Amino acid sequence: MKAVILAGGEGTRLRPLTLTLPKPVVPVVDRPFLRHQLDLLGQAGVTEVVFSVAYRPERVQAIFGDGSALGKKIRYAMEPTPLGTGGAVKNAERYLDDVTIVLNGDVLTDVDLAEVVRRHRESGAAATLVLVPVPNPAAYGLVETDGDGRVRRFIEKPQPDQVTTDTINAGIYVLQTSTLELMPVGVNHSIERAFFPALLGRGDHVAAHVHRGYWIDIGTPEKYLQVHRDVLNGRFPVRVEGRRVDGGWIHEGAVVEPGAELRAPFYVGPGSRVSAQAEVGPDAVLASRVRVDAGARIRDSVLWEGCHVGESAVIDGALLGAGVRAGRHVVIGPGAVLGEGASLSDYSRTA
Ligand code: GDD
Ligand code: MG
């Protein structure tokens, strides 16, 4: 069985971080997002994966190549212009077997995919959708089911008065590949708004698999920061590289000078340096080659590779893209998202 990962969206809600790096490869605790999804698929024994790409595909290819370095077989279904979530799956059809797993390329979960596939086969459904209950369903695709676990209706991005259930589409499907005959070729269309309603319309059995474990869509700054808090605090066990030290992770080759204070949980990546009197954590992620000068304080923030935080600067609740430079005594406050290479001169404040 093979999987398709929808990895072609522009990631507009994560701008400016996604202006240079497409969302499917933004780092989650210093590992490209899709590595975590490949791990999830690997747990279900799926090692052949089609990346359906449209936006900055070269960045994805440069990181994953043909997958052999990871023991996977990765193919690329390239879209000259974006085909939407449905068109993207159709465009990958030539690579697929009779049953296909489809994943949105921005969701992380601990759902047992092997179990979802097993129940899909048992039920004889044309498609099985993983659903999750969430507190704010209007931001997603609502899925109504009946008492037998059959899907009845989709309401993608409902108006507040259309919210009839708290179970949403988790962006994870198991499909009989033959159902793709319903999709037009080479035409932009939505799997949620067009394909699934069409399947229901012709009376196919669309099954629901409700997952009550961990699930997150990392596509907004708030959720992107949240997934880091969840991983650091052990609420979601994904693979993190590096040594466990005092409730955090320190990578080989990182330097923490005597007198620096690390407050758990934290992650200090390869080649990063935390100077004396600096404070890092709780909930701080320093990716590779981040430099934190004396007296700086970083908490509840994610800093991508090559950032430099000047003396006595304070960073709290922020996301910093690669190579951001924050001068001395800079204050970067909650909700700030700084794009690659941004530079803040000494004493600048964003809060
Ligand atoms: N290849 C390709 N081509 N991929 C695309 C395209 C496209 O034209 N458009 C979007 N994608 C990818 C995105 O990269 C993302 O991984 C996935 O499809 C879903 O797109 P989002 O833009 O993130 O959608 P959403 O989060 O607003 O809503 C979707 O996900 C929710 C769960 O997180 C829907 O599937 C909802 O129904 C669902 O609840
Ligand atoms: Mg999304």
Side-chain angles (χ1 to χ4, degrees), residues 79-344:
E79 293 154 51
T81 56
L83 289 172
T85 49
V89 178
K90 183 71 176 172
N91 190 45
E93 187 177 12
R94 62 188 177 279
Y95 297 125
L96 305 175
D97 305 326
D98 59 333
V99 176
T100 303
I101 297 177
V102 178
L103 296 181
N104 281 356
D106 62 354
V107 295
L108 268 185
T109 176
D110 54 7
V111 72
D112 181 347
L113 282 179
E115 171 72 2
V116 180
V117 171
R118 192 182 62 72
R119 285 175 54 180
H120 169 81
R121 290 189 195 272
E122 261 174 31
S123 68
T128 299
L129 276 63
V130 177
L131 310 183
V132 285
V134 294
N136 58 333
Y140 304 98
L142 288 197
V143 183
E144 291 179 3
T145 56
D146 66 15
D148 298 335
R150 283 181 176 241
V151 171
R152 286 291 165 224
R153 194 157 80 112
F154 288 82
I155 317 171
E156 186 65 22
K157 311 283 157 55
Q159 296 301 315
D161 61 346
Q162 288 180 296
V163 175
T164 50
T165 171
D166 68 347
T167 49
I168 61 139
N169 168 20
I172 300 169
Y173 323 118
V174 181
L175 304 178
Q176 292 303 118
T177 309
S178 57
T179 58
L180 302 188
E181 72 193 7
L182 278 177
M183 291 182 171
V185 180
V187 175
N188 183 306
H189 68 277
S190 155
I191 199 167
E192 304 88 353
R193 295 176 198 271
F195 172 72
F196 288 127
L199 264 190
L200 289 175
R202 76 171 186 188
D204 277 18
H205 177 184
V206 180
H209 179 108
V210 179
H211 177 58
R212 297 189 188 278
Y214 188 85
W215 179 88
I216 196 166
D217 173 336
I218 61 139
T220 62
E222 297 72 32
K223 297 291 182 184
Y224 179 67
L225 188 52
Q226 186 62 43
V227 75
H228 284 86
R229 295 184 189 121
D230 292 342
V231 172
L232 291 182
N233 288 282
R235 289 189 287 268
F236 182 43
V238 297
R239 181 125 141 241
V240 177
E241 320 265 349
R243 245 177 336 124
R244 294 258 24 193
V245 178
D246 299 334
W249 285 266
I250 300 184
H251 215 280
E252 296 286 320
V255 176
V256 178
E257 289 182 1
E261 192 172 336
L262 298 180
R263 299 190 174 179
F266 52 80
Y267 171 89
V268 182
S272 286
R273 179 175 205 99
V274 182
S275 299
Q277 276 76 54
E279 271 177 40
V280 169
D283 297 337
V285 171
L286 313 181
S288 318
R289 299 185 313 282
V290 171
R291 210 175 107 194
V292 181
D293 289 348
R297 284 187 288 140
I298 303 175
R299 63 179 298 275
D300 197 28
S301 295
V302 179
L303 280 63
W304 289 8
E305 59 177 313
C307 286
H308 178 186
V309 180
E311 229 178 83
S312 302
V314 176
I315 301 180
D316 186 356
L319 303 174
L320 275 56
V324 168
R325 188 191 160 280
R328 294 183 308 125
H329 294 273
V330 159
V331 177
I332 301 178
V337 185
L338 303 183
E340 180 170 338
S343 179
L344 277 74

Side-chain angles (χ1 to χ4, degrees), residues 25-48:
V25 290
V26 302
V28 169
V29 200
D30 209 16
R31 263 175 116 223
F33 179 79
L34 289 179
R35 290 277 304 266
H36 298 290
Q37 281 201 331
L38 290 176
D39 287 348
L40 179 74
L41 289 166
Q43 285 161 18
V46 178
T47 56
E48 292 192 42

